Amino acid sequence: MTTSYLSCNISPLTAYVPSTENPWNAANVRHLHNRLGFGIPFADIANALSQSPSAYVDQIIDAAMGLAPTASPGWAPLDPADYAANGFTYSEDENDKNKETAQYAFIKELIDNGVRGRLTFFWHNIIVTRINEYDFAGYAFRYFLALQRHSFGNFKTFIHEIGLDEAMLKFLNSFDNVVGDPNENYARELYELFTLGEGNGYTEDDIVNTARALTGYNEYENGENSRIIFDVEKFDAEPKTIFDQTGNWGYDDVINILFEQRADLIARYICERIYIDFVSPEVDEDIRTLIIHPLAAQFVANGFEIAPILKTLFKSAHFFDANAKSVIIKSPLDLIVQFMTSTGLNFGDYDINKESIKNISSWLFDQNILNPPTVAGWDGDRDWLNSGTITFRAGYLIDDVLQWAWEQDQEQFREFAIDVSSNSNDAEVVATAIFEALMNEIPYTMDDYTVGVDVFKSRVPSNYFDDNSWTLGFETATLQVRDLLEYIVSLPDYQIK
């Protein structure tokens, strides 16, 4: 497995055409799902290979768009004032429990609906709120649903709605933004982080006047932590100049002016964020010219619809180029969920395991879902790793996640090996198939691969391999498979995708 951090991918945005050198095979299917989702079980690969790459990309994105939204708990749409009448208690302790419920629901989305979960998670790291700042579970759950609802939809509509989302109104202080005392936090981040990029196409005067245009969303409709509504008395009704356009602008005007006057800049910024997250963290001017700018032009031409540009990117020769593979470091939740998905093992009841997943990813690895460290989200990629976290990452997968599956059914480890190797009785073939199922290919160094094969064979006397009498029916096979899985997740190569 080769790893590159240089922008040496010169393949175009045109559709990937399978070839002898780069066939449409299980490795490319896994590459697609490792980036666009959180891995793929071996049993699902045959369906992908029965279709063309383009048809399959259409299928999985269309399927994700057609999913029903996550069901809301009964308390999620309610104002606190209405809790009691609906059988709920509103207290600090109950709110803390409900906040965790929102986090558990988000993590379950990653596990159950990989493609939609991936896009929802991607937007969470761009259009950020922090649950510990606004501190109300109902706001958190509705924010999660907003990310999910708009993950493949229209970006302009998404930006319009999210700015009026209560989690955002409270997190970036729009709730405190009133005539005569404007708060610039949301106006600044709207441009700097959500649509244009830092210092790109706006001035300090644009921020000041945008903040004035966004005043007025300061009134609780039904008591504290209820819906937030517009109060005309707190709106600045004087003329403002935004991007050289002058008028008595309000909220809707800001969004319209932004997307009319800065369309190309918005599209290029968002397409570059998509590229960094899904293709490679390394972007240079050649990549911008070759991929990002043409993708951005399509984004504008399609009225800022997100799904079409995703389909173009994930169908492209550029995405399936060898230089686009093994260049992104997995986030903690990526690591955990992809391992669970790719093995296809039964890890038991999510309600039993969810607290462990959330706590480990947040406490040990600093990926606390719905509560990123800053308004800029997680830096990601290389920031996820140091000499200590690699050890802890492997330890958690081995001691906790893998153990859940072992306790459910040890025989499923044998069945996993039978499935991925077509029940081979050649230990090297079986080991290679397991490597590929988890890592897409054998490790970068042959030494790592050779050690892995030795680990897989270590519980069986060598003569059984020499005379070809060993099979996956051996009593030791379940432990052999577990040994190799433990070895693979401990490799540095396993941290990348």
Side-chain angles (χ1 to χ4, degrees), residues 32-39 114-115 118 278 334 338 497:
L32 174 65
H33 278 273
N34 288 348
R35 298 292 181 81
L36 185 51
F38 293 88
V115 175
R118 170 68 71 188
F278 291 99
D334 215 342
Q338 186 179 313
K497 62 177 181 176

Side-chain angles (χ1 to χ4, degrees), residues 163-412:
L164 298 178
D165 181 272
E166 281 82 10
M168 187 64 75
L169 287 167
K170 294 297 290 291
F171 174 57
L172 287 179
N173 308 109
S174 290
F175 187 67
D176 305 316
N177 185 23
V178 298
V179 60
D181 188 18
N183 186 299
E184 298 173 6
N185 280 3
Y186 183 74
R188 185 175 302 280
E189 306 310 350
L190 172 64
Y191 299 149
E192 183 173 312
L193 295 175
F194 301 168
T195 60
L196 294 173
E198 186 174 0
N200 187 34
Y202 62 90
T203 67
E204 285 299 312
D205 284 345
D206 290 324
I207 291 172
V208 170
N209 283 281
T210 297
R212 291 176 55 218
L214 298 178
T215 53
Y217 290 91
N218 318 105
E219 189 73 23
Y220 284 127
E221 185 176 38
N222 186 27
E224 186 178 9
N225 287 336
S226 65
R227 295 304 197 281
I228 295 172
I229 58 175
F230 183 71
D231 181 355
V232 68
E233 298 298 324
K234 296 179 181 178
F235 173 68
D236 185 334
E238 295 299 316
K240 308 106 180 165
T241 300
I242 302 169
F243 303 141
D244 298 323
Q245 310 300 303
T246 302
N248 181 20
W249 308 131
Y251 184 89
D252 292 349
D253 301 309
V254 167
I255 305 303
N256 289 332
I257 293 169
L258 170 61
F259 278 81
E260 288 166 4
Q261 299 298 317
R262 297 293 186 267
D264 290 342
L265 294 180
I266 294 169
R268 289 181 178 188
Y269 172 71
I270 293 300
C271 288
E272 185 160 324
R273 292 297 302 263
I274 289 171
Y275 186 92
I276 288 168
D277 205 76
F278 291 99
V279 182
S280 171
E282 299 296 325
V283 174
D284 58 22
E285 287 307 314
D286 290 339
I287 292 297
R288 292 187 179 98
T289 301
L290 181 70
I291 304 297
I292 293 168
H293 293 177
L295 200 62
Q298 180 187 352
F299 200 22
V300 174
N302 284 335
F304 291 97
E305 291 294 328
I306 298 166
I309 61 168
L310 294 174
K311 289 182 177 182
T312 295
L313 181 63
F314 288 109
K315 292 177 182 181
S316 72
H318 191 85
F319 176 75
F320 286 103
D321 188 282
N323 289 305
K325 299 170 184 176
S326 303
V327 296
I328 297 176
I329 294 170
K330 299 171 188 173
S331 77
L333 283 168
D334 215 342
L335 182 85
I336 296 165
V337 177
Q338 186 179 313
F339 176 77
M340 296 172 73
T341 303
S342 299
T343 60
L345 298 172
N346 173 14
F347 294 92
D349 191 340
Y350 174 70
D351 284 339
I352 296 174
N353 302 330
K354 63 187 181 184
E355 184 176 2
S356 172
I357 296 172
K358 182 185 79 69
N359 289 346
I360 287 294
S361 62
S362 59
W363 295 347
L364 193 57
F365 302 128
D366 197 28
Q367 191 169 36
N368 191 4
I369 202 163
L370 287 176
N371 201 43
T374 71
V375 67
W378 296 280
D379 290 334
D381 199 52
R382 301 183 202 187
D383 280 6
W384 291 127
L385 287 185
N386 57 50
S387 58
T389 56
I390 289 180
T391 302
F392 287 129
R393 281 170 162 232
Y396 180 66
L397 291 181
I398 292 167
D399 297 336
D400 292 76
V401 181
L402 202 57
Q403 185 63 23
W404 300 336
W406 189 256
E407 291 173 356
Q408 287 298 309
D409 177 16
Q410 296 176 19
E411 280 300 310
Q412 66 178 320

Side-chain angles (χ1 to χ4, degrees), residues 406-425:
W406 189 256
E407 291 173 356
Q408 287 298 309
D409 177 16
Q410 296 176 19
E411 280 300 310
Q412 66 178 320
F413 287 72
R414 186 195 315 275
E415 294 303 318
F416 167 68
I418 288 172
D419 288 345
V420 299
S421 72
S422 300
N423 200 18
S424 176
N425 65 351

Side-chain angles (χ1 to χ4, degrees), residues 54-221:
S54 290
Y56 184 65
V57 169
D58 283 341
Q59 180 193 86
I60 60 176
I61 290 179
D62 290 345
M65 293 172 68
L67 290 170
T70 297
S72 295
W75 48 262
L78 298 177
D79 298 331
D82 297 328
Y83 270 39
N86 288 274
F88 299 102
T89 300
Y90 184 61
S91 67
E92 183 176 346
D93 287 346
E94 286 299 312
N95 186 54
D96 286 344
K97 290 179 184 177
N98 291 343
K99 287 193 300 183
E100 290 192 326
T101 296
Q103 292 176 298
Y104 295 146
F106 205 145
I107 295 171
K108 195 170 193 300
E109 169 76 356
L110 311 185
I111 295 171
D112 291 350
N113 301 310
V115 175
R116 187 179 68 178
R118 170 68 71 188
L119 265 294
T120 304
F121 202 31
F122 166 73
W123 291 117
H124 175 37
N125 201 37
I126 293 180
I127 303 173
V128 171
T129 71
R130 300 186 70 241
I131 195 171
N132 283 2
E133 297 290 333
Y134 54 84
D135 199 33
F136 178 53
Y139 290 169
F141 208 99
R142 299 199 292 266
Y143 162 74
F144 158 58
L145 291 179
L147 297 177
Q148 186 185 82
R149 182 168 58 253
H150 292 289
S151 57
F152 293 93
N154 185 275
F155 185 64
K156 180 181 177 182
T157 303
F158 189 179
I159 289 297
H160 185 278
E161 179 174 325
I162 206 70
L164 298 178
D165 181 272
E166 281 82 10
M168 187 64 75
L169 287 167
K170 294 297 290 291
F171 174 57
L172 287 179
N173 308 109
S174 290
F175 187 67
D176 305 316
N177 185 23
V178 298
V179 60
D181 188 18
N183 186 299
E184 298 173 6
N185 280 3
Y186 183 74
R188 185 175 302 280
E189 306 310 350
L190 172 64
Y191 299 149
E192 183 173 312
L193 295 175
F194 301 168
T195 60
L196 294 173
E198 186 174 0
N200 187 34
Y202 62 90
T203 67
E204 285 299 312
D205 284 345
D206 290 324
I207 291 172
V208 170
N209 283 281
T210 297
R212 291 176 55 218
L214 298 178
T215 53
Y217 290 91
N218 318 105
E219 189 73 23
Y220 284 127
E221 185 176 38

